[in-house]
Amino acid sequence: MIKSQFIPLFMPYFVEVILPLALNKTFTYQVSEAEFNFIQVGMRVTVPFGKSKIFTALAIETHQNPPTLYEAKEIFQIIDDKPIVNEIQIKHWQWISSYYMCAIGDVFRAALPSSLLLESETIITALPADFIDDATLTDDEFLIREALQQQSSLKVKEVMDIVNRKNIFPLLQKLMDKKLIRLQEEIQENYKPKLVRYVRLFPQFTTNEGLTLLLDSIKSEKQKSLLLGYFQLQATTKNPISVKALLEFTNLTSAIVKALIDKEIIEEYHLIQDRTDYIADDNSIELKLSSAQQNALDEIKKQFQEKEICLLHGVTSSGKTEIYSQLIRENMQTGKQILFLLPEIALTTQLLSRLRKFFGNKVAVFHSKYNANERIEVWNQVLENSPKAQVVIGARSALFLPFSNLGLVIVDEEHEPNFKQTDPAPRYHARDAATVLASFHQAKVLMGSATPSIETYFNALNHKYGLVELTERFGAIPMPEIVLVDLKDKYFRKRMNGHFSDTLLEEITNALALEEQVILFQNRRGFSPLLECMSCGHVPQCPNCDVSLTYHKFKNQLRCHYCGYAIAKPTNCHQCSSVELITKGFGTEQIELELASIFPNKRIQRMDQDTTRGKFGYERIIDRFQNREVDILVGTQMLAKGLDFDNVSLVGILNADNMLFFPDFRAFERSFQMMTQVSGRAGRANKAGKVIIQTYNPNHNTIQQVTNNNYKGMYKEQINERQLFVYPPYAKLIKITLKHKDFEKVKESSQWLYQVLHQSLKMPVLGPEEPVISKIRNEYIRTILIKIPENNSIQATKKTIQKILNSFEVISQYRAVKVIINVDTL
């Protein structure tokens, strides 16, 4: 007897997706055969997850292998007609997820603009209909329609409550098929193209006879003026005439336009315009390099023949941007895309105007200050390989754009810690992730800095990267003269006015007399870091964090810079009721007020996180300073990021010491970089600059190195210490942070984790330590630092750490403890 073998009638079809959740795995969903044949890698689909949630997921694979641990649910719908993410991006996300030990879902959420990630807060709206026969609707359909007559829109959760059902998407699909409703993702996914109103004459008035009759028939002088203005604009420009341009030209109101539309003399129509559009100047500037710049450019090209990555170490104001621009031009001629990464949004303003002078309408910008619609437009332009986004300038998030033909990545000011994402996950370093992205595209990477990070310079000296040095400023301008002011001596001799030494005030006065501009640097915002009672010594503390409250004089409040907690400035001590309260320390607000009293007739502007919150906060301040509408600019570290102002002759660093003595192995390196970068703002464009550094430690090694512009001396000193104490580049660092509202639970769990890590890893494991600020937002914090020496396998170590963390999560009493992993921590 022959046994019959069971053969299934059909093989099921599945799609593998990434969900935008902190889950380090993909999920399998069932699809129909038609959907299976339609779905491509990189398309979005909506899927059910959990009991009632709906998420936008990304398809990364189609297959016919059913999941073994759960029964696959069906997808709800396919959102896209074509992929919005390419396979190189997905490969890059997987590398970030693996290297930085974070969930692939976190990378997916960070990479896509928020408007492309629809969740179950999807909005349902009614479509206009001439007549609907209620008899054709089911009870549930009628309930939804009735609810939409009472209010303009409903959320998915509200619909679930109305019909008392969890799976409502088939019901919504039926209503969509009947053209009674539409879902938000079907309308616009929160994205609307920008429509611009244009006007044109009706055809019967375009002939000479029709035009004569028209002008004779119009009695209103304003309507005649508007028509004449229309003809003048039409004669001078061959482009369509927008309502805005017509009204600006004729200085009339929109009521006149409406009157002519009502009379059917002119008709209005709309055209889609890019929000990120830029009208190119016909007179594009020709790039001219000095001999030193040309030599550096030739050397970079030579290095690129042998190496994928090159470091351009050029002093401040040496003209690195012009070298970048020439490389960009050469890459553009081959049709390649270029990514230009910057550490600070403020820098994009100046750089954008400079690059657009060279490349016109081929430069796009992408960063978090752009709204959702603008970001999606840039995303689509890059996806389509549009000429409008051949060059993309952006902060670290620009790394995630859907490049398909990347030829060059430029990382300017590569030493900046802002390139490292801290919270939330993924905690990636944009500079390092950019080198991996470039390798996937077989593109070249150029890093530039006047003060390279120790790790990058180490790689360049060890021939892992190419190295090109530019040691002279553009136009043979001398490096700024640096003068050290000993604050101990000035206070002793009573030569201080507030926080200004007589030397600094004299130099500010001289610069202002010559109508030159001044930059003053104080790396602390607010008025004063603390308020103290003279009677009992009480300092107001944040109730949620382990920090004192910072005094902000302009708002007359004490504020926590970690959680946002704020109270009005007290009139008496909360501890002893004394009225003798004084401020200690100083921030940018206090400097601004002191300057206003010393120089009452001068224009003073502050540039810090408090003054640059709006979308155009940076642009407004930078433009005002560049246009010489501001005499003195006071700011925090934002000023140290490569800004170029040609009229600045003096830079003052008000207190160099608060950077030096921070408990961090990078403190001296960072201090050198910060002071050198700030100093570099002085003496650009044919002006000899001067830098005044006020310090209590004028003989400190780092300050002497800044004074002598001795980067190599600083590097040698720091690299020896790093080797001695096993810090990068001689080791990789992984920091594990544990957080919980219960102090004892954090202490106990961190001790358990430390013991297991210490026993399992044959390498230095430090901790568990209370950080400098041991409580933030009512959560107590402990940190464990793992040093992975050069000769140890990083991948094997990470696998061991991950196994230990998986075991940690299984322990019931520790499950509520938050664990944060930071690879290559700064």
Side-chain angles (χ1 to χ4, degrees), residues 361-384:
N361 201 19
K362 293 187 176 182
V363 185
V365 182
F366 189 88
H367 56 62
S368 58
K369 287 277 172 115
Y370 267 31
N371 65 39
N373 287 330
E374 289 167 328
R375 275 185 275 177
I376 288 176
E377 285 186 1
V378 175
W379 181 281
N380 290 335
Q381 286 169 359
V382 174
L383 183 67
E384 292 156 11

PDB file of all heavy atoms in Angstrom, residues 361-384:
ATOM      1  N   ASN A 361      20.585  76.109  -7.781  1.00  0.00           N
ATOM      2  CA  ASN A 361      19.422  75.357  -7.296  1.00  0.00           C
ATOM      3  C   ASN A 361      19.675  73.846  -7.212  1.00  0.00           C
ATOM      4  O   ASN A 361      18.760  73.055  -7.343  1.00  0.00           O
ATOM      5  CB  ASN A 361      18.233  75.634  -8.226  1.00  0.00           C
ATOM      6  CG  ASN A 361      16.922  75.324  -7.545  1.00  0.00           C
ATOM      7  OD1 ASN A 361      16.848  75.239  -6.326  1.00  0.00           O
ATOM      8  ND2 ASN A 361      15.875  75.140  -8.325  1.00  0.00           N
ATOM      9  N   LYS A 362      20.928  73.469  -6.976  1.00  0.00           N
ATOM     10  CA  LYS A 362      21.234  72.038  -6.873  1.00  0.00           C
ATOM     11  C   LYS A 362      21.595  71.638  -5.448  1.00  0.00           C
ATOM     12  O   LYS A 362      22.084  70.543  -5.205  1.00  0.00           O
ATOM     13  CB  LYS A 362      22.384  71.678  -7.823  1.00  0.00           C
ATOM     14  CG  LYS A 362      21.989  71.806  -9.291  1.00  0.00           C
ATOM     15  CD  LYS A 362      23.070  71.288 -10.208  1.00  0.00           C
ATOM     16  CE  LYS A 362      22.611  71.335 -11.666  1.00  0.00           C
ATOM     17  NZ  LYS A 362      23.621  70.790 -12.574  1.00  0.00           N
ATOM     18  N   VAL A 363      21.354  72.560  -4.510  1.00  0.00           N
ATOM     19  CA  VAL A 363      21.726  72.326  -3.117  1.00  0.00           C
ATOM     20  C   VAL A 363      20.463  72.265  -2.262  1.00  0.00           C
ATOM     21  O   VAL A 363      19.634  73.170  -2.302  1.00  0.00           O
ATOM     22  CB  VAL A 363      22.652  73.451  -2.590  1.00  0.00           C
ATOM     23  CG1 VAL A 363      23.137  73.131  -1.185  1.00  0.00           C
ATOM     24  CG2 VAL A 363      23.830  73.654  -3.527  1.00  0.00           C
ATOM     25  N   ALA A 364      20.305  71.193  -1.493  1.00  0.00           N
ATOM     26  CA  ALA A 364      19.160  71.039  -0.591  1.00  0.00           C
ATOM     27  C   ALA A 364      19.663  70.968   0.846  1.00  0.00           C
ATOM     28  O   ALA A 364      20.815  70.615   1.094  1.00  0.00           O
ATOM     29  CB  ALA A 364      18.382  69.769  -0.937  1.00  0.00           C
ATOM     30  N   VAL A 365      18.770  71.298   1.786  1.00  0.00           N
ATOM     31  CA  VAL A 365      19.113  71.271   3.214  1.00  0.00           C
ATOM     32  C   VAL A 365      18.168  70.317   3.925  1.00  0.00           C
ATOM     33  O   VAL A 365      16.981  70.270   3.620  1.00  0.00           O
ATOM     34  CB  VAL A 365      18.985  72.685   3.833  1.00  0.00           C
ATOM     35  CG1 VAL A 365      19.393  72.656   5.293  1.00  0.00           C
ATOM     36  CG2 VAL A 365      19.835  73.670   3.083  1.00  0.00           C
ATOM     37  N   PHE A 366      18.715  69.577   4.896  1.00  0.00           N
ATOM     38  CA  PHE A 366      17.885  68.625   5.652  1.00  0.00           C
ATOM     39  C   PHE A 366      18.335  68.627   7.101  1.00  0.00           C
ATOM     40  O   PHE A 366      19.450  68.229   7.412  1.00  0.00           O
ATOM     41  CB  PHE A 366      18.037  67.223   5.055  1.00  0.00           C
ATOM     42  CG  PHE A 366      17.061  66.213   5.622  1.00  0.00           C
ATOM     43  CD1 PHE A 366      15.808  66.053   5.067  1.00  0.00           C
ATOM     44  CD2 PHE A 366      17.409  65.409   6.705  1.00  0.00           C
ATOM     45  CE1 PHE A 366      14.909  65.124   5.565  1.00  0.00           C
ATOM     46  CE2 PHE A 366      16.519  64.475   7.215  1.00  0.00           C
ATOM     47  CZ  PHE A 366      15.265  64.336   6.645  1.00  0.00           C
ATOM     48  N   HIS A 367      17.470  69.125   7.983  1.00  0.00           N
ATOM     49  CA  HIS A 367      17.758  69.043   9.424  1.00  0.00           C
ATOM     50  C   HIS A 367      16.467  69.215  10.215  1.00  0.00           C
ATOM     51  O   HIS A 367      15.400  69.468   9.658  1.00  0.00           O
ATOM     52  CB  HIS A 367      18.820  70.067   9.857  1.00  0.00           C
ATOM     53  CG  HIS A 367      18.496  71.493   9.523  1.00  0.00           C
ATOM     54  ND1 HIS A 367      17.395  72.148  10.035  1.00  0.00           N
ATOM     55  CD2 HIS A 367      19.125  72.396   8.720  1.00  0.00           C
ATOM     56  CE1 HIS A 367      17.380  73.380   9.587  1.00  0.00           C
ATOM     57  NE2 HIS A 367      18.402  73.557   8.781  1.00  0.00           N
ATOM     58  N   SER A 368      16.561  69.077  11.536  1.00  0.00           N
ATOM     59  CA  SER A 368      15.369  68.990  12.384  1.00  0.00           C
ATOM     60  C   SER A 368      14.598  70.295  12.512  1.00  0.00           C
ATOM     61  O   SER A 368      13.448  70.284  12.946  1.00  0.00           O
ATOM     62  CB  SER A 368      15.768  68.495  13.787  1.00  0.00           C
ATOM     63  OG  SER A 368      16.722  69.367  14.349  1.00  0.00           O
ATOM     64  N   LYS A 369      15.197  71.449  12.150  1.00  0.00           N
ATOM     65  CA  LYS A 369      14.445  72.703  12.229  1.00  0.00           C
ATOM     66  C   LYS A 369      13.495  72.866  11.038  1.00  0.00           C
ATOM     67  O   LYS A 369      12.644  73.743  11.037  1.00  0.00           O
ATOM     68  CB  LYS A 369      15.412  73.900  12.292  1.00  0.00           C
ATOM     69  CG  LYS A 369      16.135  74.037  13.634  1.00  0.00           C
ATOM     70  CD  LYS A 369      15.290  74.759  14.677  1.00  0.00           C
ATOM     71  CE  LYS A 369      15.934  74.702  16.042  1.00  0.00           C
ATOM     72  NZ  LYS A 369      16.352  75.958  16.593  1.00  0.00           N
ATOM     73  N   TYR A 370      13.681  72.030   9.995  1.00  0.00           N
ATOM     74  CA  TYR A 370      12.729  72.038   8.881  1.00  0.00           C
ATOM     75  C   TYR A 370      11.445  71.344   9.334  1.00  0.00           C
ATOM     76  O   TYR A 370      11.491  70.375  10.089  1.00  0.00           O
ATOM     77  CB  TYR A 370      13.322  71.293   7.677  1.00  0.00           C
ATOM     78  CG  TYR A 370      14.052  72.181   6.703  1.00  0.00           C
ATOM     79  CD1 TYR A 370      14.709  73.319   7.145  1.00  0.00           C
ATOM     80  CD2 TYR A 370      14.104  71.883   5.345  1.00  0.00           C
ATOM     81  CE1 TYR A 370      15.389  74.136   6.259  1.00  0.00           C
ATOM     82  CE2 TYR A 370      14.785  72.691   4.443  1.00  0.00           C
ATOM     83  CZ  TYR A 370      15.420  73.817   4.922  1.00  0.00           C
ATOM     84  OH  TYR A 370      16.077  74.620   4.043  1.00  0.00           O
ATOM     85  N   ASN A 371      10.303  71.817   8.835  1.00  0.00           N
ATOM     86  CA  ASN A 371       9.054  71.145   9.220  1.00  0.00           C
ATOM     87  C   ASN A 371       8.884  69.847   8.423  1.00  0.00           C
ATOM     88  O   ASN A 371       9.648  69.547   7.508  1.00  0.00           O
ATOM     89  CB  ASN A 371       7.848  72.083   9.058  1.00  0.00           C
ATOM     90  CG  ASN A 371       7.592  72.466   7.608  1.00  0.00           C
ATOM     91  OD1 ASN A 371       7.728  71.649   6.699  1.00  0.00           O
ATOM     92  ND2 ASN A 371       7.213  73.710   7.381  1.00  0.00           N
ATOM     93  N   ALA A 372       7.857  69.075   8.810  1.00  0.00           N
ATOM     94  CA  ALA A 372       7.669  67.733   8.228  1.00  0.00           C
ATOM     95  C   ALA A 372       7.516  67.783   6.710  1.00  0.00           C
ATOM     96  O   ALA A 372       8.087  66.959   5.987  1.00  0.00           O
ATOM     97  CB  ALA A 372       6.449  67.071   8.863  1.00  0.00           C
ATOM     98  N   ASN A 373       6.746  68.757   6.198  1.00  0.00           N
ATOM     99  CA  ASN A 373       6.527  68.851   4.750  1.00  0.00           C
ATOM    100  C   ASN A 373       7.833  69.122   4.003  1.00  0.00           C
ATOM    101  O   ASN A 373       8.099  68.527   2.950  1.00  0.00           O
ATOM    102  CB  ASN A 373       5.519  69.960   4.441  1.00  0.00           C
ATOM    103  CG  ASN A 373       4.110  69.560   4.834  1.00  0.00           C
ATOM    104  OD1 ASN A 373       3.762  68.388   4.807  1.00  0.00           O
ATOM    105  ND2 ASN A 373       3.294  70.526   5.213  1.00  0.00           N
ATOM    106  N   GLU A 374       8.650  70.033   4.537  1.00  0.00           N
ATOM    107  CA  GLU A 374       9.920  70.365   3.877  1.00  0.00           C
ATOM    108  C   GLU A 374      10.855  69.162   3.870  1.00  0.00           C
ATOM    109  O   GLU A 374      11.538  68.892   2.874  1.00  0.00           O
ATOM    110  CB  GLU A 374      10.576  71.551   4.593  1.00  0.00           C
ATOM    111  CG  GLU A 374       9.844  72.855   4.370  1.00  0.00           C
ATOM    112  CD  GLU A 374      10.292  73.960   5.305  1.00  0.00           C
ATOM    113  OE1 GLU A 374      10.673  73.674   6.444  1.00  0.00           O
ATOM    114  OE2 GLU A 374      10.237  75.134   4.894  1.00  0.00           O
ATOM    115  N   ARG A 375      10.867  68.410   4.976  1.00  0.00           N
ATOM    116  CA  ARG A 375      11.751  67.249   5.046  1.00  0.00           C
ATOM    117  C   ARG A 375      11.326  66.155   4.067  1.00  0.00           C
ATOM    118  O   ARG A 375      12.163  65.507   3.443  1.00  0.00           O
ATOM    119  CB  ARG A 375      11.796  66.704   6.474  1.00  0.00           C
ATOM    120  CG  ARG A 375      12.826  67.442   7.330  1.00  0.00           C
ATOM    121  CD  ARG A 375      12.963  66.840   8.705  1.00  0.00           C
ATOM    122  NE  ARG A 375      11.973  67.374   9.606  1.00  0.00           N
ATOM    123  CZ  ARG A 375      11.825  66.981  10.858  1.00  0.00           C
ATOM    124  NH1 ARG A 375      12.595  66.036  11.337  1.00  0.00           N
ATOM    125  NH2 ARG A 375      10.906  67.511  11.638  1.00  0.00           N
ATOM    126  N   ILE A 376      10.009  65.980   3.920  1.00  0.00           N
ATOM    127  CA  ILE A 376       9.532  64.955   2.977  1.00  0.00           C
ATOM    128  C   ILE A 376       9.869  65.363   1.543  1.00  0.00           C
ATOM    129  O   ILE A 376      10.225  64.517   0.716  1.00  0.00           O
ATOM    130  CB  ILE A 376       8.016  64.716   3.164  1.00  0.00           C
ATOM    131  CG1 ILE A 376       7.778  63.963   4.475  1.00  0.00           C
ATOM    132  CG2 ILE A 376       7.444  63.900   2.005  1.00  0.00           C
ATOM    133  CD1 ILE A 376       6.342  63.739   4.819  1.00  0.00           C
ATOM    134  N   GLU A 377       9.785  66.655   1.229  1.00  0.00           N
ATOM    135  CA  GLU A 377      10.130  67.107  -0.125  1.00  0.00           C
ATOM    136  C   GLU A 377      11.602  66.825  -0.436  1.00  0.00           C
ATOM    137  O   GLU A 377      11.939  66.359  -1.527  1.00  0.00           O
ATOM    138  CB  GLU A 377       9.794  68.590  -0.289  1.00  0.00           C
ATOM    139  CG  GLU A 377       8.296  68.804  -0.439  1.00  0.00           C
ATOM    140  CD  GLU A 377       7.916  70.241  -0.759  1.00  0.00           C
ATOM    141  OE1 GLU A 377       8.810  71.096  -0.888  1.00  0.00           O
ATOM    142  OE2 GLU A 377       6.710  70.500  -0.870  1.00  0.00           O
ATOM    143  N   VAL A 378      12.484  67.110   0.539  1.00  0.00           N
ATOM    144  CA  VAL A 378      13.908  66.817   0.325  1.00  0.00           C
ATOM    145  C   VAL A 378      14.118  65.301   0.212  1.00  0.00           C
ATOM    146  O   VAL A 378      14.865  64.838  -0.647  1.00  0.00           O
ATOM    147  CB  VAL A 378      14.774  67.408   1.466  1.00  0.00           C
ATOM    148  CG1 VAL A 378      16.230  67.000   1.296  1.00  0.00           C
ATOM    149  CG2 VAL A 378      14.663  68.927   1.497  1.00  0.00           C
ATOM    150  N   TRP A 379      13.443  64.536   1.060  1.00  0.00           N
ATOM    151  CA  TRP A 379      13.524  63.059   1.004  1.00  0.00           C
ATOM    152  C   TRP A 379      13.161  62.559  -0.396  1.00  0.00           C
ATOM    153  O   TRP A 379      13.887  61.749  -0.987  1.00  0.00           O
ATOM    154  CB  TRP A 379      12.574  62.471   2.068  1.00  0.00           C
ATOM    155  CG  TRP A 379      12.584  60.970   2.129  1.00  0.00           C
ATOM    156  CD1 TRP A 379      11.949  60.099   1.283  1.00  0.00           C
ATOM    157  CD2 TRP A 379      13.269  60.150   3.087  1.00  0.00           C
ATOM    158  NE1 TRP A 379      12.192  58.797   1.661  1.00  0.00           N
ATOM    159  CE2 TRP A 379      12.996  58.794   2.759  1.00  0.00           C
ATOM    160  CE3 TRP A 379      14.076  60.427   4.190  1.00  0.00           C
ATOM    161  CZ2 TRP A 379      13.509  57.735   3.498  1.00  0.00           C
ATOM    162  CZ3 TRP A 379      14.584  59.361   4.929  1.00  0.00           C
ATOM    163  CH2 TRP A 379      14.301  58.042   4.584  1.00  0.00           C
ATOM    164  N   ASN A 380      12.040  63.064  -0.936  1.00  0.00           N
ATOM    165  CA  ASN A 380      11.589  62.623  -2.262  1.00  0.00           C
ATOM    166  C   ASN A 380      12.553  63.048  -3.367  1.00  0.00           C
ATOM    167  O   ASN A 380      12.778  62.310  -4.324  1.00  0.00           O
ATOM    168  CB  ASN A 380      10.181  63.157  -2.549  1.00  0.00           C
ATOM    169  CG  ASN A 380       9.128  62.471  -1.686  1.00  0.00           C
ATOM    170  OD1 ASN A 380       9.334  61.338  -1.247  1.00  0.00           O
ATOM    171  ND2 ASN A 380       8.027  63.148  -1.434  1.00  0.00           N
ATOM    172  N   GLN A 381      13.126  64.252  -3.227  1.00  0.00           N
ATOM    173  CA  GLN A 381      14.093  64.712  -4.228  1.00  0.00           C
ATOM    174  C   GLN A 381      15.329  63.825  -4.252  1.00  0.00           C
ATOM    175  O   GLN A 381      15.841  63.473  -5.320  1.00  0.00           O
ATOM    176  CB  GLN A 381      14.491  66.167  -3.934  1.00  0.00           C
ATOM    177  CG  GLN A 381      13.401  67.179  -4.280  1.00  0.00           C
ATOM    178  CD  GLN A 381      13.714  68.569  -3.744  1.00  0.00           C
ATOM    179  OE1 GLN A 381      14.734  68.779  -3.090  1.00  0.00           O
ATOM    180  NE2 GLN A 381      12.841  69.523  -4.009  1.00  0.00           N
ATOM    181  N   VAL A 382      15.821  63.443  -3.064  1.00  0.00           N
ATOM    182  CA  VAL A 382      16.995  62.561  -2.990  1.00  0.00           C
ATOM    183  C   VAL A 382      16.635  61.178  -3.529  1.00  0.00           C
ATOM    184  O   VAL A 382      17.398  60.564  -4.270  1.00  0.00           O
ATOM    185  CB  VAL A 382      17.514  62.466  -1.536  1.00  0.00           C
ATOM    186  CG1 VAL A 382      18.641  61.442  -1.427  1.00  0.00           C
ATOM    187  CG2 VAL A 382      18.002  63.828  -1.050  1.00  0.00           C
ATOM    188  N   LEU A 383      15.437  60.688  -3.170  1.00  0.00           N
ATOM    189  CA  LEU A 383      14.966  59.376  -3.624  1.00  0.00           C
ATOM    190  C   LEU A 383      14.915  59.303  -5.150  1.00  0.00           C
ATOM    191  O   LEU A 383      15.294  58.304  -5.762  1.00  0.00           O
ATOM    192  CB  LEU A 383      13.576  59.104  -3.031  1.00  0.00           C
ATOM    193  CG  LEU A 383      12.937  57.750  -3.327  1.00  0.00           C
ATOM    194  CD1 LEU A 383      13.723  56.635  -2.639  1.00  0.00           C
ATOM    195  CD2 LEU A 383      11.486  57.726  -2.867  1.00  0.00           C
ATOM    196  N   GLU A 384      14.438  60.392  -5.761  1.00  0.00           N
ATOM    197  CA  GLU A 384      14.300  60.434  -7.225  1.00  0.00           C
ATOM    198  C   GLU A 384      15.590  60.853  -7.919  1.00  0.00           C
ATOM    199  O   GLU A 384      15.611  61.015  -9.136  1.00  0.00           O
ATOM    200  CB  GLU A 384      13.167  61.406  -7.599  1.00  0.00           C
ATOM    201  CG  GLU A 384      11.788  60.901  -7.178  1.00  0.00           C
ATOM    202  CD  GLU A 384      10.781  62.039  -7.003  1.00  0.00           C
ATOM    203  OE1 GLU A 384      11.100  63.179  -7.416  1.00  0.00           O
ATOM    204  OE2 GLU A 384       9.708  61.790  -6.441  1.00  0.00           O
TER     205      GLU A 384
END
